[in-house]
Amino acid sequence: MVFISGWGIVEYLSPNLAFLDILRYPNAYPRISAIVQGANQLGVLMAIGAVFAIILYRKHLIGKAEMCLTVPIFIGLNTLSASRNGWLIFILGLVLLWLYKLIRLKGFLILISLWSFFLVFFPVSSARIIAPNHPVFPLLYTISPSVEIHHKSLVSPPKKERKPDIAATSDQARVVLWKDALQAFSQKPLTGIGVGVFAEHIGWKHTERSGFHAHNIFLSVLVELGIPGLLLSIVLLFNLIPFSVLKQELIGIPLILIFASQQFDFFINDSTFVVLCTYFLANAVQQKELNRAY
């Protein structure tokens, strides 16, 4: 998390750095994406990182100085990503910290105040708040003319005309993808359309880019693997992660945040996010075996 946040700071300070274009794809500036696949992924990762740092501090696994240094950076990059999914995950994380009795009301208010300050301070996040249903880039330059366009991808010539049902905002795009997923599922409810077919063909017709899943983990599994595949996935998930494991803060809170973040996104193509998920899942399985042994 610290390594990724470091590259996020580099991107914020030097968005024109050519080396960044080798590491990141696509370039979402002025939304910060660091070296992960997109700004939404960064927002979610930074939210989880901030919450996890607080858990580690409360469990005496890191010092107060480490916590005070990393948490504000994670929160700042969470807001700079302009990811509403990442913002929701951060708020959910604070609520879970309070429910697990890792922070009190005072700590909750301090963290939410710091996060709110960053939301208002950075133009990219304040623009997303003021007009959440409009594309963030045009509004950003209306509100803050001093912000310069740092990358040619923001002013690239328009592509050929797309299909008329393409959505202009991320909210509308999700609705379109969900409808397409349900329609494809209705045609093959038992077998599904096949792994990767939605992202490579159905999502492509709207965006002319591969990798656009149905933006919901359960809907994506349902449309690609059908009803049997979804049921098997749920059984496997509950077999790996019993509810008893979720009572432990170091495992339960991150896993809840990870699965909650996949209700409006699906980051299966982002290797960094998958590695993070695998790490916490492995911890859950290990803890399950230790509980069984004792």
Side-chain angles (χ1 to χ4, degrees):
M1 293 290 191
V2 173
F3 179 77
I4 295 172
S5 67
W7 282 108
I9 296 173
V10 170
E11 181 181 3
Y12 177 71
L13 297 176
S14 302
N16 278 333
L17 193 62
F19 182 68
L20 285 173
D21 291 330
I22 302 175
L23 301 175
R24 63 185 176 186
Y25 175 82
N27 179 10
Y29 191 83
R31 299 176 65 189
I32 301 301
S33 57
I35 57 173
V36 297
Q37 191 182 58
N40 286 335
Q41 286 91 323
L42 180 69
V44 170
L45 286 173
M46 292 298 99
I48 296 174
V51 172
F52 193 58
I54 295 171
I55 298 173
L56 292 176
Y57 169 70
R58 295 295 295 171
K59 292 295 181 180
H60 306 290
L61 296 175
I62 63 173
K64 186 175 183 179
E66 295 172 284
M67 189 268 293
C68 292
L69 178 63
T70 55
V71 169
I73 294 175
F74 291 154
I75 294 176
L77 288 172
N78 171 265
T79 57
L80 279 169
S81 70
S83 169
R84 285 170 291 177
N85 189 17
W87 299 348
L88 290 173
I89 296 305
F90 178 71
I91 295 174
L92 175 60
L94 293 185
V95 172
L96 290 174
L97 288 174
W98 179 71
L99 291 175
Y100 277 78
K101 299 182 180 180
L102 293 174
I103 60 172
R104 298 180 180 178
L105 180 60
K106 180 181 178 181
F108 182 93
L109 293 177
I110 291 174
L111 290 168
I112 204 72
S113 297
L114 178 62
W115 178 71
S116 300
F117 170 77
F118 283 133
L119 283 178
V120 176
F121 179 79
F122 293 120
V124 65
S125 56
S126 60
R128 187 54 80 88
I129 295 172
I130 295 171
N133 293 323
H134 292 276
V136 67
F137 296 134
L139 182 61
L140 172 65
Y141 301 124
T142 301
I143 293 177
S144 181
S146 61
V147 179
E148 298 178 358
I149 295 177
H150 289 280
H151 197 277
K152 63 182 180 181
S153 65
L154 294 181
V155 291
S156 57
K159 296 181 179 180
K160 62 182 180 178
E161 184 178 355
R162 294 176 177 173
K163 293 183 179 296
D165 63 345
I166 181 63
T169 68
S170 59
D171 296 336
Q172 295 171 350
R174 282 177 171 83
V175 173
V176 170
L177 292 172
W178 290 341
K179 289 181 178 179
D180 282 0
L182 291 174
Q183 182 179 3
F185 163 72
S186 65
Q187 296 174 358
K188 294 186 177 182
L190 295 180
T191 62
I193 62 176
V195 176
V197 174
F198 188 94
E200 297 301 323
H201 297 280
I202 299 178
W204 173 273
K205 74 178 183 179
H206 296 301
T207 62
E208 297 179 355
R209 280 178 51 195
S210 61
F212 273 78
H213 291 272
H215 280 64
N216 178 280
I217 184 171
F218 297 110
L219 187 55
S220 294
V221 174
L222 182 64
V223 69
E224 294 187 348
L225 298 179
I227 296 176
L230 178 62
L231 293 177
L232 287 174
S233 299
I234 294 175
V235 170
L236 177 62
L237 182 63
F238 278 98
N239 185 54
L240 290 175
I241 312 174
F243 283 107
S244 59
V245 173
L246 297 179
K247 296 179 181 179
Q248 303 182 36
E249 300 90 339
L250 282 169
I251 300 175
I253 292 179
L255 284 178
I256 292 173
L257 296 180
I258 287 172
F259 282 104
S261 70
Q262 300 308 284
Q263 303 313 303
F264 297 100
D265 278 307
F266 191 39
F267 300 149
I268 192 65
N269 286 334
D270 192 310
S271 57
T272 304
F273 192 83
V274 171
V275 168
L276 178 76
C277 294
T278 304
Y279 170 76
F280 286 112
L281 283 172
N283 283 341
V285 173
Q286 182 184 37
Q287 189 60 48
K288 173 187 174 183
E289 295 302 320
L290 287 175
N291 293 342
R292 181 180 297 176
Y294 292 99

